[in-house]
Amino acid sequence: PSPTSSIVALLPPIYLVLSLTAIASRTVPILKKLSEHGKTVTSQSNRNKFPWIPKSTFRHFYTTGFIWMILVITVFGDFIPISVTITVVIHLLRRLYECTCVHKFTPNSKMHFAGWLLGIGHYLLLPFNFMGKGYATKPIVSGLSVVANLWLQYEQYRHHVLLAELRTFDRMASRMVPQKGWFRLVLCPHYLAEILIYFTWALMVPIHGIHNSNFGCWFLFLWVFVNLTISSLNNKGWYKRQYPTLSQTALIPFVF
């Protein structure tokens, strides 16, 4: 058995509970408050005090994720497909770069401390979803998944840049919606790219491995899909209040 089999076995129920909690946050006030961040924060409490913290602390997720991924690779590297290792490390370093050099966080952009804890926990669990030594994904599937992953990472970066070009410290400019790229069809193309990135990782992991750990990866994909779907709907609600005539859907073109 894998030295991490106990953690791997817990991943599906953890992500299922998180997914159900995210869905409940649409209607349960306390959960909605905990999930808010950035422009979607509606709390009337003093956001300059704890438990509200700067949204710029998003960079902590990727710093933690990168350091932890390297440590896990060092100890259990043989259990993680090389295609996943390379693309995950690229993703974490890219997102850290974006949080440091691309995103323009305003002083009033906040997130709840509970959201920060959830983000840290997400990246601590992330490497264990990819363990599957003993079997191999078909080379054609793995190769195409890597190519798609890197393309989607580029698209996410490109759309983060488009957002940053409009996110000045001028209040009105920060409310604008870019009119380039996937923004012509959806309001949250960066979320769509993130969901598809996780989908490609699920495809890279062998379907049979240590205790079928690939199932954890698919539940991870479910959690990311549900969480970012809820976030995109919250963003759409915010945008609609600013621009009632917007025609873009929230996440998936022509669907929702």
Side-chain angles (χ1 to χ4, degrees):
S2 163
T4 59
S5 58
S6 296
I7 297 176
V8 169
L10 288 172
L11 294 176
I14 287 174
Y15 292 128
L16 184 58
V17 170
L18 288 175
S19 299
L20 294 174
T21 303
I23 293 172
S25 71
R26 291 284 290 176
T27 56
V28 180
I30 183 61
L31 295 177
K32 180 177 176 60
K33 178 179 178 180
L34 296 179
S35 66
E36 292 175 341
H37 60 83
K39 59 180 172 287
T40 63
V41 174
T42 58
S43 173
Q44 298 302 312
S45 60
N46 189 343
R47 286 182 284 172
N48 292 320
K49 295 182 179 180
F50 188 84
W52 296 102
I53 60 176
K55 191 181 175 184
S56 58
T57 55
F58 258 56
R59 64 171 61 95
H60 296 173
F61 302 158
Y62 308 109
T63 303
T64 300
F66 173 72
I67 295 172
W68 183 242
M69 186 71 182
I70 296 301
L71 290 174
V72 172
I73 291 171
T74 301
V75 179
F76 304 113
D78 290 344
F79 294 93
I80 304 176
I82 187 64
S83 58
V84 175
T85 298
I86 293 173
T87 52
V88 169
V89 168
I90 291 173
H91 175 75
L92 293 170
L93 289 176
R94 175 184 60 83
R95 291 295 291 122
L96 178 58
Y97 168 77
E98 290 173 0
C99 286
T100 305
C101 302
V102 176
H103 296 319
K104 296 179 180 179
F105 298 106
T106 66
N108 291 325
S109 186
K110 305 290 184 178
M111 64 182 297
H112 200 280
F113 182 67
W116 181 88
L117 286 177
L118 181 61
I120 295 295
H122 173 86
Y123 286 98
L124 290 177
L125 290 177
L126 185 64
F128 300 103
N129 290 277
F130 306 129
M131 295 185 173
K133 185 178 180 181
Y135 297 83
T137 301
K138 292 183 178 180
I140 185 65
V141 175
S142 181
L144 290 175
S145 297
V146 169
V147 171
N149 182 284
L150 294 176
W151 172 67
L152 289 164
Q153 291 207 43
Y154 165 73
E155 288 295 339
Q156 187 179 50
Y157 169 77
R158 183 168 74 96
H159 288 86
H160 280 151
V161 170
L162 290 174
L163 273 177
E165 289 174 349
L166 295 179
R167 295 301 186 259
T168 67
F169 289 100
D170 175 77
R171 181 174 175 80
M172 293 308 297
S174 68
R175 295 183 175 186
M176 297 172 64
V177 182
Q179 297 299 312
K180 298 179 181 178
W182 297 359
F183 280 108
R184 296 188 183 96
L185 297 175
V186 296
L187 294 171
C188 301
H190 47 312
Y191 290 169
L192 176 59
E194 181 97 356
I195 290 169
L196 294 175
I197 286 169
Y198 277 82
F199 179 71
T200 64
W201 282 331
L203 292 176
M204 292 180 205
V205 178
I207 200 138
H208 297 292
I210 299 170
H211 296 284
N212 289 322
S213 59
N214 179 258
F215 287 115
C217 202
W218 284 106
F219 275 90
L220 168 65
F221 167 69
L222 172 67
W223 152 240
V224 171
F225 175 78
V226 171
N227 184 49
L228 293 184
T229 295
I230 299 301
S231 294
S232 69
L233 292 174
N234 291 339
N235 273 284
K236 181 181 179 181
W238 186 90
Y239 276 120
K240 279 291 189 180
R241 289 192 292 273
Q242 310 302 319
Y243 303 102
T245 59
L246 280 176
S247 60
Q248 295 99 317
T249 53
L251 184 68
I252 300 178
F254 312 114
V255 180
F256 67 86

